[in-house]
Protein backbone atom coordinates (compact mmCIF):
# COMPACT_ATOMS: atom_id res chain seq x y z
CA UNK A 1 0.00 0.00 0.00
CA UNK A 2 1.40 3.34 -1.03
CA UNK A 3 1.50 5.89 1.77
CA UNK A 4 -0.40 9.13 1.26
CA UNK A 5 1.73 12.07 0.23
CA UNK A 6 2.40 14.47 3.10
CA UNK A 7 0.68 17.84 3.05
CA UNK A 8 2.88 20.63 1.72
CA UNK A 9 4.64 22.75 4.30
CA UNK A 10 2.62 25.85 5.10
CA UNK A 11 5.61 28.11 4.36
CA UNK A 12 5.85 26.70 0.84
CA UNK A 13 2.15 27.26 0.27
CA UNK A 14 2.44 30.80 1.63
CA UNK A 15 5.30 31.67 -0.72
CA UNK A 16 3.40 30.28 -3.70
CA UNK A 17 0.23 32.20 -2.86
CA UNK A 18 2.15 35.39 -2.18
CA UNK A 19 3.91 35.17 -5.53
CA UNK A 20 0.69 34.53 -7.47
CA UNK A 21 -1.90 36.55 -5.54
CA UNK A 22 -0.23 39.27 -3.46
CA UNK A 23 -2.03 41.85 -5.63
CA UNK A 24 -5.42 40.23 -4.95
CA UNK A 25 -5.75 42.33 -1.79
CA UNK A 26 -6.53 46.02 -2.35
CA UNK A 27 -7.22 48.97 -0.11
CA UNK A 28 -10.72 50.44 -0.47
CA UNK A 29 -11.23 54.05 0.58
CA UNK A 30 -14.84 55.12 1.08
CA UNK A 31 -16.60 58.28 2.18
CA UNK A 32 -19.73 57.31 4.09
CA UNK A 33 -22.70 59.52 4.99
CA UNK A 34 -23.89 58.38 8.42
CA UNK A 35 -27.09 59.37 10.27
CA UNK A 36 -27.77 57.94 13.72
CA UNK A 37 -30.23 58.42 16.56
CA UNK A 38 -30.77 56.56 19.83
CA UNK A 39 -34.29 56.31 21.17
CA UNK A 40 -35.95 59.73 21.21
CA UNK A 41 -32.68 61.63 20.93
CA UNK A 42 -32.25 63.95 17.93
CA UNK A 43 -30.48 62.36 15.00
CA UNK A 44 -26.89 63.27 14.22
CA UNK A 45 -25.38 63.23 10.75
CA UNK A 46 -21.79 63.26 9.61
CA UNK A 47 -19.50 62.06 6.86
CA UNK A 48 -16.61 59.75 7.63
CA UNK A 49 -13.81 58.40 5.47
CA UNK A 50 -12.62 54.85 6.03
CA UNK A 51 -9.91 52.66 4.52
CA UNK A 52 -10.54 48.94 4.53
CA UNK A 53 -9.12 45.91 2.80
CA UNK A 54 -10.93 44.17 -0.03
CA UNK A 55 -10.26 40.99 -2.01
CA UNK A 56 -10.42 40.81 -5.80
CA UNK A 57 -12.65 37.91 -6.90
CA UNK A 58 -13.00 38.45 -10.69
CA UNK A 59 -10.65 39.65 -13.40
CA UNK A 60 -13.00 42.50 -14.32
CA UNK A 61 -12.64 44.09 -10.89
CA UNK A 62 -15.32 42.70 -8.58
CA UNK A 63 -14.01 43.26 -5.04
CA UNK A 64 -15.52 41.89 -1.82
CA UNK A 65 -15.28 43.79 1.47
CA UNK A 66 -16.86 43.47 4.91
CA UNK A 67 -20.19 45.27 4.51
CA UNK A 68 -20.19 46.81 7.99
CA UNK A 69 -16.79 48.39 7.34
CA UNK A 70 -18.26 50.72 4.71
CA UNK A 71 -21.94 50.53 5.76
CA UNK A 72 -22.23 50.85 9.56
CA UNK A 73 -26.01 50.50 9.38
CA UNK A 74 -25.49 46.83 8.52
CA UNK A 75 -24.33 46.19 12.07
CA UNK A 76 -26.04 48.85 14.17
CA UNK A 77 -29.49 49.66 12.79
CA UNK A 78 -32.30 48.33 14.97
CA UNK A 79 -30.06 47.06 17.76
CA UNK A 80 -30.76 47.83 21.39
CA UNK A 81 -28.01 49.34 23.54
CA UNK A 82 -27.71 50.54 27.12
CA UNK A 83 -27.49 54.32 27.54
CA UNK A 84 -27.43 55.82 31.03
CA UNK A 85 -29.14 52.75 32.42
CA UNK A 86 -31.90 52.68 29.81
CA UNK A 87 -32.36 50.31 26.92
CA UNK A 88 -32.71 52.32 23.71
CA UNK A 89 -33.02 51.28 20.10
CA UNK A 90 -30.59 52.58 17.52
CA UNK A 91 -31.74 53.95 14.19
CA UNK A 92 -28.85 54.10 11.74
CA UNK A 93 -28.67 54.83 8.05
CA UNK A 94 -25.48 54.96 6.00
CA UNK A 95 -24.64 55.46 2.35
CA UNK A 96 -21.38 55.25 0.47
CA UNK A 97 -21.04 58.62 -1.24
CA UNK A 98 -17.72 57.90 -2.89
CA UNK A 99 -15.35 54.93 -3.09
CA UNK A 100 -11.97 54.25 -4.64
CA UNK A 101 -9.77 51.24 -5.13
CA UNK A 102 -6.16 51.96 -4.20
CA UNK A 103 -4.27 49.66 -6.55
CA UNK A 104 -0.96 47.94 -5.74
CA UNK A 105 0.94 50.55 -7.79
CA UNK A 106 -0.69 53.39 -5.83
CA UNK A 107 -3.08 54.48 -8.57
CA UNK A 108 -6.74 55.01 -7.68
CA UNK A 109 -9.87 53.87 -9.48
CA UNK A 110 -13.35 55.25 -8.71
CA UNK A 111 -15.60 52.42 -7.55
CA UNK A 112 -19.25 51.85 -6.72
CA UNK A 113 -21.12 49.39 -4.49
CA UNK A 114 -23.07 46.95 -6.67
CA UNK A 115 -24.36 44.37 -4.18
CA UNK A 116 -24.74 43.88 -0.43
CA UNK A 117 -25.20 40.48 1.18
CA UNK A 118 -26.38 41.72 4.57
CA UNK A 119 -26.95 38.20 5.90
CA UNK A 120 -23.26 37.38 5.47
CA UNK A 121 -22.01 40.94 6.12
CA UNK A 122 -20.43 41.15 2.68
CA UNK A 123 -20.48 43.99 0.15
CA UNK A 124 -19.18 44.09 -3.41
CA UNK A 125 -17.76 46.95 -5.44
CA UNK A 126 -16.79 47.39 -9.07
CA UNK A 127 -14.97 50.14 -10.95
CA UNK A 128 -17.33 52.90 -12.01
CA UNK A 129 -18.60 52.30 -15.53
CA UNK A 130 -16.59 54.00 -18.25
CA UNK A 131 -13.99 55.68 -16.04
CA UNK A 132 -10.65 56.38 -17.69
CA UNK A 133 -8.67 55.13 -14.68
CA UNK A 134 -10.00 51.57 -15.08
CA UNK A 135 -9.20 51.10 -18.79
CA UNK A 136 -5.69 49.75 -18.34
CA UNK A 137 -6.09 48.46 -14.77
CA UNK A 138 -5.09 44.87 -14.09
CA UNK A 139 -7.06 43.04 -11.42
CA UNK A 140 -5.62 39.81 -9.99
CA UNK A 141 -8.44 37.64 -8.62
CA UNK A 142 -8.00 34.83 -6.13
CA UNK A 143 -8.74 31.35 -7.46
CA UNK A 144 -12.19 30.05 -6.58
CA UNK A 145 -11.95 26.82 -8.60
CA UNK A 146 -11.43 24.66 -5.50
CA UNK A 147 -12.24 25.32 -1.85
CA UNK A 148 -10.95 23.73 1.34
CA UNK A 149 -12.91 23.01 4.50
CA UNK A 150 -10.99 23.60 7.72
CA UNK A 151 -10.84 21.92 11.12
CA UNK A 152 -9.33 22.81 14.48
CA UNK A 153 -5.56 23.35 14.32
CA UNK A 154 -5.48 23.26 10.52
CA UNK A 155 -2.82 25.63 9.22
CA UNK A 156 -3.87 28.57 7.04
CA UNK A 157 -2.32 31.35 4.94
CA UNK A 158 -3.70 34.89 4.98
CA UNK A 159 -2.81 37.46 2.33
CA UNK A 160 -2.82 41.07 3.47
CA UNK A 161 -1.24 44.52 3.15
CA UNK A 162 0.59 46.79 5.53
CA UNK A 163 -0.87 50.19 6.41
CA UNK A 164 -0.35 53.51 4.65
CA UNK A 165 2.67 54.40 6.78
CA UNK A 166 4.33 51.19 5.55
CA UNK A 167 3.57 51.90 1.91
CA UNK A 168 0.61 49.52 1.76
CA UNK A 169 3.12 46.79 0.92
CA UNK A 170 1.71 43.32 0.23
CA UNK A 171 2.21 40.89 3.11
CA UNK A 172 1.48 37.29 4.05
CA UNK A 173 1.00 35.48 7.35
CA UNK A 174 0.62 31.89 8.49
CA UNK A 175 -1.86 31.01 11.22
CA UNK A 176 -3.97 28.10 12.47
CA UNK A 177 -7.62 27.50 13.22
CA UNK A 178 -8.18 27.71 16.97
CA UNK A 179 -11.92 26.93 16.97
CA UNK A 180 -14.78 26.00 14.67
CA UNK A 181 -18.12 27.63 15.46
CA UNK A 182 -21.28 25.80 14.40
CA UNK A 183 -24.11 28.08 15.57
CA UNK A 184 -25.85 30.30 14.62
CA UNK A 185 -23.67 29.96 11.52
CA UNK A 186 -20.46 28.10 10.72
CA UNK A 187 -17.32 30.19 11.22
CA UNK A 188 -13.63 29.55 11.84
CA UNK A 189 -11.72 31.46 14.47
CA UNK A 190 -8.04 32.27 13.87
CA UNK A 191 -5.65 34.62 15.64
CA UNK A 192 -5.42 37.22 12.85
CA UNK A 193 -8.08 39.87 13.40
CA UNK A 194 -7.74 42.12 10.33
CA UNK A 195 -10.84 41.78 8.16
CA UNK A 196 -11.41 41.91 4.41
CA UNK A 197 -8.70 39.33 3.70
CA UNK A 198 -8.71 35.93 1.94
CA UNK A 199 -7.79 32.80 3.87
CA UNK A 200 -6.31 29.68 2.26
CA UNK A 201 -5.73 26.13 3.50
CA UNK A 202 -2.41 24.31 3.44
CA UNK A 203 -3.19 23.02 -0.05
CA UNK A 204 -3.42 26.60 -1.33
CA UNK A 205 -7.15 26.36 -1.98
CA UNK A 206 -9.50 29.13 -0.89
CA UNK A 207 -10.82 28.42 2.61
CA UNK A 208 -12.67 31.55 3.67
CA UNK A 209 -12.89 35.31 4.10
CA UNK A 210 -12.10 37.30 7.24
CA UNK A 211 -15.19 39.20 8.28
CA UNK A 212 -16.90 40.46 11.45
CA UNK A 213 -19.54 38.60 13.43
CA UNK A 214 -21.94 40.74 15.46
CA UNK A 215 -23.86 39.72 18.55
CA UNK A 216 -25.22 40.93 21.85
CA UNK A 217 -22.67 42.07 24.43
CA UNK A 218 -24.81 40.82 27.31
CA UNK A 219 -27.84 41.66 29.42
CA UNK A 220 -26.84 45.31 29.69
CA UNK A 221 -27.04 45.85 25.96
CA UNK A 222 -24.32 46.71 23.50
CA UNK A 223 -22.90 45.12 20.41
CA UNK A 224 -20.11 42.59 20.38
CA UNK A 225 -17.84 42.38 17.35
CA UNK A 226 -15.67 39.35 16.70
CA UNK A 227 -13.35 38.76 13.73
CA UNK A 228 -14.12 35.38 12.17
CA UNK A 229 -13.50 33.48 8.95
CA UNK A 230 -16.60 32.84 6.86
CA UNK A 231 -16.14 29.42 5.20
CA UNK A 232 -15.36 29.45 1.49
CA UNK A 233 -18.49 27.58 0.43
CA UNK A 234 -20.70 30.38 1.78
CA UNK A 235 -18.49 33.09 0.28
CA UNK A 236 -18.49 31.50 -3.17
CA UNK A 237 -22.31 31.33 -3.23
CA UNK A 238 -22.45 35.03 -2.40
CA UNK A 239 -19.85 35.86 -5.06
CA UNK A 240 -21.92 34.06 -7.70
CA UNK A 241 -24.83 36.39 -6.88
CA UNK A 242 -22.60 39.46 -6.99
CA UNK A 243 -21.13 38.53 -10.38
CA UNK A 244 -24.49 39.29 -12.01
CA UNK A 245 -24.50 42.86 -10.68
CA UNK A 246 -22.89 45.47 -12.90
CA UNK A 247 -21.91 49.04 -12.15
CA UNK A 248 -24.62 51.47 -13.26
CA UNK A 249 -23.98 53.19 -16.54
CA UNK A 250 -22.65 56.71 -16.07
CA UNK A 251 -25.25 59.37 -16.76
CA UNK A 252 -24.47 61.45 -19.85
CA UNK A 253 -23.59 65.06 -19.20
CA UNK A 254 -26.45 67.46 -19.64
CA UNK A 255 -26.45 69.17 -23.00
CA UNK A 256 -25.28 72.74 -22.88
CA UNK A 257 -28.05 75.19 -23.30
Amino acid sequence: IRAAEPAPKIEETARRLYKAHADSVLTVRATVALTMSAGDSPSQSRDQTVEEFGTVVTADGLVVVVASSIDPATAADGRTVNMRGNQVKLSVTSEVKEARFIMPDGSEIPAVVVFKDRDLNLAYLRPEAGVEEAKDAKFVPISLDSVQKLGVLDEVVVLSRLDKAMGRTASVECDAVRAVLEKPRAYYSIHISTTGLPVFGNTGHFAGFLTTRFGSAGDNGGISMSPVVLPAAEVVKSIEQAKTKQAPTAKPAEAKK
Side-chain angles (χ1 to χ4, degrees):
I1 300 175
R2 185 178 179 181
E5 293 185 6
K9 291 184 178 180
I10 197 67
E11 294 86 355
E12 295 174 358
T13 300
R15 290 190 184 96
R16 178 163 50 86
L17 286 167
Y18 181 81
K19 183 177 181 180
H21 296 291
D23 288 349
S24 298
V25 176
L26 305 179
T27 300
V28 178
R29 181 193 297 129
T31 300
V32 183
L34 181 65
T35 301
M36 182 172 65
S37 64
D40 297 328
S41 301
S43 62
Q44 298 181 346
S45 299
R46 61 186 174 90
D47 287 357
Q48 66 180 31
T49 299
V50 298
E51 285 194 4
E52 303 291 340
F53 291 123
T55 297
V56 181
V57 293
T58 66
D60 62 351
L62 184 66
V63 174
V64 59
V65 300
V66 177
S68 56
S69 68
I70 62 170
D71 180 11
T74 301
D77 186 47
R79 291 190 178 272
T80 300
V81 297
N82 188 302
M83 294 185 65
R84 301 183 183 89
N86 297 317
Q87 299 290 314
V88 296
K89 192 173 185 178
L90 295 178
S91 176
V92 183
T93 60
S94 53
E95 178 186 4
V96 177
K97 297 173 64 175
E98 181 184 55
R100 286 180 173 269
F101 295 148
I102 303 177
M103 303 296 287
D105 63 0
S107 62
E108 298 187 9
I109 299 176
V112 61
V113 177
V114 295
F115 180 62
K116 293 179 184 177
D117 191 331
R118 293 182 181 274
D119 185 44
L120 297 181
N121 194 20
L122 302 177
Y124 297 85
L125 299 94
R126 287 187 183 276
E128 286 187 8
V131 296
E132 188 70 24
E133 297 93 327
K135 287 185 178 179
D136 297 322
K138 180 183 178 182
F139 290 94
V140 181
I142 60 172
S143 175
L144 302 173
D145 294 338
S146 299
V147 300
Q148 182 173 345
K149 190 174 182 179
L150 300 176
V152 174
L153 294 182
D154 281 354
E155 294 177 307
V156 298
V157 175
V158 181
L159 297 178
S160 184
R161 285 194 176 274
L162 303 181
D163 60 18
K164 182 179 180 180
M166 299 290 282
R168 299 192 177 97
T169 305
S171 64
V172 61
E173 293 184 69
C174 299
D175 202 344
V177 177
R178 60 180 182 177
V180 176
L181 290 73
E182 299 292 348
K183 296 180 180 181
R185 184 191 298 280
Y187 290 110
Y188 309 127
S189 176
I190 63 177
H191 300 87
I192 296 170
S193 59
T194 304
T195 58
L197 306 176
V199 179
F200 304 87
N202 62 352
T203 62
H205 295 151
F206 181 52
F209 181 73
L210 265 160
T211 183
T212 304
R213 176 182 181 272
F214 293 92
S216 173
D219 296 336
N220 293 327
I223 304 171
S224 68
M225 298 182 291
S226 305
V228 291
V229 178
L230 182 65
E234 291 286 335
V235 181
V236 171
K237 289 179 184 178
S238 179
I239 290 172
E240 290 303 315
Q241 295 182 67
K243 283 181 179 179
T244 65
K245 312 296 183 181
Q246 299 299 318
T249 304
K251 295 180 181 179
E254 291 186 2
K256 293 184 178 179
K257 295 182 180 180

